């Protein structure tokens, strides 16, 4: 999707389609009223006929309206001003896409000032519309042999704003395009099957991202490097796999070397069978999505680089498969993590935390300003919160609150679960410093408790994205979350 900015008057527009909003009780927006005048009351007569009453998301496409140069008008219902909220606004934007999907209109012009949305300014409305549209055009058909369908429908949207708002609009579009590009990358990586998207494929993708980019650098550690670093916990997960594990370090340097980086650590389990604690067969294919944390890290770095933000960011991705095998780690095995702490692996399916703990210890080397790990870590996160927000836990109030605020700002919601000390007792082991599981209760919290033992030296937050990184069922596929949240957080950390 392409976006542009226009300043013409609504009655003089010439393009393929003008989008005119209609409020509750057939109330035309102020731009709508001007257009109505230019076509001598044609719009009001149509609204009187009852074909369109202004309910949110309702649409009516009018070809060749007499007296107007534009080829079409699209009337879109927006409901009462007081009913307009983020969800209804998204509905309105999606309604525009579906109304034009089977029309001949490739481009349209839209007046964001016509929609009043409490607490959201013009830049927000433009950014959110551009992001929604960018996402709605996503397709994944690289592995279908048939000729790709020519995409129909909307390809270009112009935002018509006052001349004085052009700069604001431009930067909103830039942000949306960068975040969209990052989300598309994350979705592609998530959707790729595990026989294609291996740890080596993730490493190759990181190298491709950095190629030719002055501010990016990649370093990929192999298993021998990890052994030297004493990453016994990470290596215990890859032990049963024929695909070699990789620890991918992708750095973006947009600020002076002395500026402490934001570190993003993403779980990159390219397939999670559960290992010797084998998962049941139903829907096991979805465990190809177990690298969506890693994908969101690469996607966010892509967005940050596209925006050329003046900040330092380091992405760290422990990437491995989790497979059963003669060499695989067995329940009861005890390993020593890079931190020196020993872990009794009571369940080989709790592997995410085992790779993250060593990656988090490694992250400390970068003297990070803050560390955020992102992981499809626990099914319990879906039990606790469903598929609406990601779960957030951490060791620093300010960081958690910043993240919650950023999530609200970009509509990529997160919800905090308590990381209280009382839960730590569940990780007790009779034979090692800790066990890797904490029993049935509060699974998302005990997973975070485990990680908290490796993140004491810095400000840290953990995002459990098990419920939000992909959709199941008919719309099965990666969502690209939480690239918007992470990019918004990095935007918020740029020093003015
Ligand atoms: N990748 C899974 C978590 C997961 C499961 C995400 C289902 C999304 C949907 C993770 O590695 C895992 O298997 N976690 C176990 C932990 C348990 C053994 C303590 C889980 O959630 O069952
Ligand atoms: Mn698992
Ligand atoms: Zn997993």
């Amino acid at each position: 999707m392409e976006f542009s900015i226009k300043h013409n008057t609504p009655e003089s527009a010439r393009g393929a389609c003008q989008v005119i909003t209609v409020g509750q009780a057939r109330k035309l927006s102020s731009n709508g009223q001007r257009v109505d005048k230019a076509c001598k009351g044609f719009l009001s007569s149509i609204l009187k006929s009852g074909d369109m009453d202004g309910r949110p998301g309702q649409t009516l496409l009018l070809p060749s309206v007499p007296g107007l140069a534009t080829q079409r008008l699209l009337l879109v219902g927006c409901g009462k001003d007081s009913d307009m909220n983020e969800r209804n606004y998204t509905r309105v934007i999606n309604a525009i896409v579906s109304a034009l999907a089977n029309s001949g209109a490739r481009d349209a012009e839209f007046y964001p000032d016509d929609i009043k949305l409490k607490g959201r300014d013009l830049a927000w409305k433009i950014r959110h519309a551009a992001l929604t549209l960018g996402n709605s055009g996503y397709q994944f058909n690289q592995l279908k042999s048939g000729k790709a369908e020519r995409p129909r429908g909307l390809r270009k949207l112009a935002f018509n704003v006052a001349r004085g708002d052009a700069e604001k609009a431009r930067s909103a579009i830039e942000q949306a395009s960068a975040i969209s590009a990052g989300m598309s990358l994350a979705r592609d990586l998530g959707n790729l099957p595990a026989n294609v998207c291996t740890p080596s494929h993730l490493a190759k993708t990181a190298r491709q991202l950095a190629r030719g980019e002055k501010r990016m650098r990649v370093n990929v550690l192999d298993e021998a490097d990890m052994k030297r670093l004493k990453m016994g916990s990470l290596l215990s997960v890859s032990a049963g796999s024929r695909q070699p594990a990789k620890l991918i370090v992708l750095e973006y340097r947009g600020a002076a070397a002395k500026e402490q980086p934001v570190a993003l650590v993403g779980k990159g389990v390219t397939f999670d069978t559960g290992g010797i604690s084998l998962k049941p067969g139903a829907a096991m294919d979805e465990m190809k999505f177990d690298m969506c944390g890693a994908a969101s890290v690469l996607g966010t770095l892509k967005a940050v680089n596209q925006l050329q933000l003046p900040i330092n960011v380091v992405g760290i991705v422990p990437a491995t498969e989790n497979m059963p095998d003669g060499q695989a780690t067995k329940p009861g095995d005890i390993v020593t993590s890079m931190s020196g702490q020993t872990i009794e692996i009571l369940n080989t399916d709790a592997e995410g935390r085992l790779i993250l703990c060593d990656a988090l210890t490694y992250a400390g080397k970068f003297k990070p300003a803050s560390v955020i790990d992102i992981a499809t870590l626990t099914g319990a996160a879906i039990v606790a919160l469903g598929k609406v927000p990601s779960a957030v836990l951490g060791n620093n109030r300010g960081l958690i609150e910043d993240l919650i605020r950023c999530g609200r700002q970009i509509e990529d919601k997160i919800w905090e679960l308590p990381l209280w000390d009382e839960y730590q007792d569940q990780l007790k082991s009779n034979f090692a410093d800790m066990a890797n599981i904490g029993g049935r209760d509060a699974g998302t919290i005990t997973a975070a408790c485990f990680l908290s033992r490796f993140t004491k030296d810095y400000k840290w937050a953990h995002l459990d994205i098990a419920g939000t990184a992909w959709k199941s069922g008919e719309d099965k596929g990666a969502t690209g979350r939480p690239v918007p949240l992470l990019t918004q957080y990095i935007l918020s950390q740029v020093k003015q």
Side-chain angles (χ1 to χ4, degrees), residues 267 272 279 287 290 347 349 351 376-379 437 466 470:
K267 172 179 173 183
D272 181 12
K279 283 183 182 295
M287 283 301 117
D290 211 17
N347 188 320
D349 197 12
E351 85 297 341
T376 48
L377 205 62
T378 62
I437 52 170
W470 77 88

Side-chain angles (χ1 to χ4, degrees), residues 114 436 456:
D114 276 348
N436 78 326
K456 295 201 188 297

